[in-house]
Amino acid sequence: MPITLKSPNEIRQMREVGRIVVATLRALREVAAPGVTTLELDRIAYETVSRLGGQPAFLGYRGFPGSICASINEEVVHGIPSATRILREGDIVSLDFGAVARGLYADSAITVGVGAINLDAQRLLDVTQEALRQGINRVRVGGRLTDIGAAIEDYVLVQGFSVVREYVGHGIGRAMHEEPQIPNYGPPGKGPVLRPGMVLAIEPMVNLGTWQTKVCPDKWTVVTADGSLSAHFEHTVAVSSGGPQVLTLPED
Ligand code: MG
Ligand code: MG
């Protein structure tokens, strides 16, 4: 499958979808508090995206039962919203959400602390968010795809954490997952040359312990193999001659 290029008009529309994703994640962040279940978060996401004129992209994707992925503590990604998963003080929860409107997708993730969190957890969130920023900074016309992951990995390793290798970012546009795959590790200077109109969902997953993961018996939830905390941040980013355009940033 070739990498598809998006027209300026498509990118404008994807930015509109990005606004819906940002508003939904903001609503989730505001209610993520001790005592709230991940199923309640899922319901709020569904209501928010519907009110804003989009549809949840994950719902029904390969049979996934939720509108969001909600992954608590050692859960890395793909946590299934559940009435029995109750957020507790000190947890960190990754909230991953994609939306589609008029046939175009946007995808973003944040990890938030529930109430007061400890210093290790806070540092993990800060490092993962900064790693995403470092990766986005390498998005430039004429650059190479693996420059992104190399920058992410370099930054994370220096901070003493590890980067998940089994799950990667992806192109996005008329489908949620398009070519190319975007690893968050590896040497720079390889892979496709970045061209205007490519749109990339860049999404580092960073573990406090080792990088290895395993899949739970529910066949969706991915957890760290050593049970250590994991964090995840994601933005949808268009390659343009003016530099990276993040399509899932809050207005402010
Ligand atoms: Mg996502
Ligand atoms: Mg994604």
Side-chain angles (χ1 to χ4, degrees), residues 218-242:
D218 68 18
K219 293 193 166 63
W220 279 107
T221 312
V222 176
V223 295
T224 55
D226 63 2
S228 67
L229 290 180
S230 186
H232 178 209
F233 284 84
E234 176 180 23
H235 276 307
T236 296
V237 182
V239 181
S240 87
S241 52

Side-chain angles (χ1 to χ4, degrees), residues 14-25:
M14 288 180 76
R15 192 185 286 280
E16 292 299 315
V17 186
R19 286 199 182 98
I20 295 173
V21 170
V22 168
T24 304
L25 287 175

Side-chain angles (χ1 to χ4, degrees), residues 5-21 101-106 172-174 197-199 236-240 245-249 251:
L5 300 180
K6 284 78 191 179
S7 68
N9 189 46
E10 285 174 315
I11 289 173
R12 258 192 303 280
Q13 289 185 50
M14 288 180 76
R15 192 185 286 280
E16 292 299 315
V17 186
R19 286 199 182 98
I20 295 173
V21 170
R102 290 181 294 176
L104 289 162
Y105 287 78
I172 184 168
R174 293 265 164 209
M198 289 182 181
V199 184
T236 296
V237 182
V239 181
S240 87
Q245 291 185 43
V246 182
L247 306 181
T248 46
L249 267 189
E251 306 281 341

Side-chain angles (χ1 to χ4, degrees), residues 35-250:
V36 175
T37 70
T38 57
L39 190 65
E40 287 169 48
L41 296 177
D42 189 71
R43 179 182 57 77
I44 290 163
Y46 184 85
E47 288 174 2
T48 306
V49 67
S50 302
R51 179 167 48 79
L52 297 175
Q55 291 174 296
F58 302 170
L59 186 61
Y61 181 83
R62 296 187 184 171
F64 189 78
S67 295
I68 62 169
C69 295
S71 309
I72 302 173
N73 294 337
E74 78 283 1
E75 295 172 352
V76 179
V77 286
H78 305 165
I80 299 172
S82 165
T84 62
R85 294 307 304 278
I86 303 166
L87 300 181
R88 296 177 206 287
E89 179 90 16
D91 284 345
I92 59 171
V93 57
S94 153
L95 303 165
D96 191 356
F97 181 70
V100 55
R102 290 181 294 176
L104 289 162
Y105 287 78
D107 189 6
S108 184
I110 57 175
T111 304
V112 302
V114 179
I117 62 175
N118 70 32
L119 287 176
D120 278 351
Q122 186 60 55
R123 205 166 146 263
L124 181 66
L125 301 194
D126 294 344
V127 165
T128 310
Q129 190 161 25
E130 176 60 21
L132 173 56
R133 211 181 64 83
Q134 299 271 334
I136 292 170
N137 277 345
R138 297 302 180 92
V139 173
R140 56 178 69 112
V141 171
R144 301 288 288 268
L145 184 78
T146 70
D147 297 349
I148 299 167
I152 289 170
E153 184 180 41
D154 283 352
Y155 177 74
V156 169
L157 295 186
V158 165
Q159 302 301 319
F161 298 144
S162 68
V163 172
V164 170
R165 303 174 83 92
E166 291 106 324
Y167 303 89
V168 298
H170 49 94
I172 184 168
R174 293 265 164 209
M176 186 163 63
H177 294 133
E178 296 184 351
E179 294 295 324
Q181 294 197 358
I182 309 170
N184 296 299
Y185 59 90
K190 299 191 186 305
V193 174
L194 300 180
R195 298 175 57 194
M198 289 182 181
V199 184
L200 310 172
I202 303 171
E203 49 179 317
M205 292 142 268
V206 176
N207 298 348
L208 205 66
T210 57
W211 60 264
Q212 284 89 352
T213 65
K214 56 187 185 185
V215 179
C216 291
D218 68 18
K219 293 193 166 63
W220 279 107
T221 312
V222 176
V223 295
T224 55
D226 63 2
S228 67
L229 290 180
S230 186
H232 178 209
F233 284 84
E234 176 180 23
H235 276 307
T236 296
V237 182
V239 181
S240 87
S241 52
Q245 291 185 43
V246 182
L247 306 181
T248 46
L249 267 189

